[in-house]
Amino acid sequence: GFVAEVDEPSTRGRLSRVSPENLYVAGPFDVSRDESRLVFAGRLASNPSAPVQIYIMSVDGGTPTRLTSEEEDCYWPSFTSDASGVVFETGGVLWRIQADGRGGKTRLPGSGIGTDHSPAVNPINNAVLFTSRSDPSEGPSMGERFEELIWTMRSDGSGLTQYREGASPRWSQTGDMIAFDQKADLWTMNLDGTGLKLQTEFRPVIPPAIALA
């Protein structure tokens, strides 16, 4: 589960558990800008065959609140800039829900190419970064890498723009740069496409899950 480091001289380096022991945490999580709440994908340990759902909770711990009740696994939750909403992926489709669990969910148009995943919301203007993957029926043969492309759009789904090849994009905390994975290496670049920089030459690379400072 989640762990939190207590940043006090006498306890620095010690870890305290945040998520309940009966909840399995699956994949990347996100922290609200005010650092008060966590949103994550998970499932009850008592029901390992159940779909992964989206949960929200205080960074101080406590009982998580389930936000989704989907028939397919839900992943990649990301807070909107004011933490009033959460964008996530299920079944290759991007959705937005209210962080208080009220109301239904709203489908975001996405790329319209294959499946969409790995959404990340800009901490300043709510623009959504995400990855599209070519449809298996249209992609390469088994064993080859499907084409993955990075896109951005406004939070209402308008302004769809393709950036470049890559996957698992994440915003900088200032919202003007992105980090992404391309062929198992980590890259960064400015939003206008300039400043492309290779950050690693290691393989494999774990997709970036924490915003750049």
Side-chain angles (χ1 to χ4, degrees):
F2 296 122
V3 291
E5 182 171 343
V6 181
D7 193 20
E8 294 293 336
S10 61
T11 58
R12 188 167 297 159
R14 297 181 185 178
L15 299 177
S16 59
R17 189 183 184 100
V18 176
S19 63
E21 293 186 5
N22 67 339
L23 193 62
Y24 167 69
V25 177
F29 58 92
D30 195 22
V31 182
S32 60
R33 287 191 69 194
D34 64 3
E35 300 182 349
S36 67
R37 290 184 290 174
L38 293 163
V39 64
F40 63 96
R43 66 159 61 97
L44 292 174
S46 60
N47 192 5
S49 63
V52 174
Q53 304 292 347
I54 303 301
Y55 292 82
I56 190 170
M57 66 182 297
S58 168
V59 296
D60 297 323
T63 303
T65 298
R66 191 175 74 180
L67 298 180
T68 61
S69 298
E70 301 296 316
E71 296 182 355
E72 295 187 69
D73 292 336
C74 302
Y75 291 110
W76 295 96
S78 180
F79 278 115
T80 57
S81 60
D82 63 359
S84 66
V86 174
V87 175
F88 68 99
E89 175 266 329
T90 182
V93 177
L94 305 183
W95 299 86
R96 175 173 173 163
I97 54 175
Q98 293 298 109
D100 59 9
R102 298 178 181 176
K105 62 183 188 294
T106 301
R107 179 172 180 169
L108 300 179
S111 66
I113 300 175
T115 59
D116 298 325
H117 61 90
S118 312
V121 182
N122 188 297
I124 306 301
N125 62 18
N126 278 335
V128 180
L129 274 173
F130 65 97
T131 304
S132 69
R133 187 182 188 191
S134 57
D135 192 300
S137 64
E138 302 173 357
S141 61
M142 185 176 295
E144 296 183 24
R145 185 184 180 91
F146 295 117
E147 181 180 38
E148 291 185 307
L149 300 172
I150 296 173
W151 303 75
T152 186
M153 62 183 172
R154 299 186 184 94
S155 58
D156 62 2
S158 64
L160 181 66
T161 303
Q162 180 184 314
Y163 269 135
R164 58 169 296 117
E165 183 182 358
S168 306
R170 283 294 176 264
W171 296 102
S172 65
Q173 292 181 355
T174 53
D176 57 1
M177 291 183 64
I178 67 171
F180 63 95
D181 163 34
Q182 184 178 8
K183 297 180 179 178
D185 281 318
L186 182 63
W187 297 75
T188 57
M189 74 174 188
N190 300 320
L191 291 189
D192 60 5
T194 63
L196 182 64
K197 184 177 181 180
L198 175 65
Q199 298 289 351
T200 69
E201 293 186 63
F202 303 102
R203 290 179 171 80
V205 166
I206 298 174
I210 301 177
L212 300 169

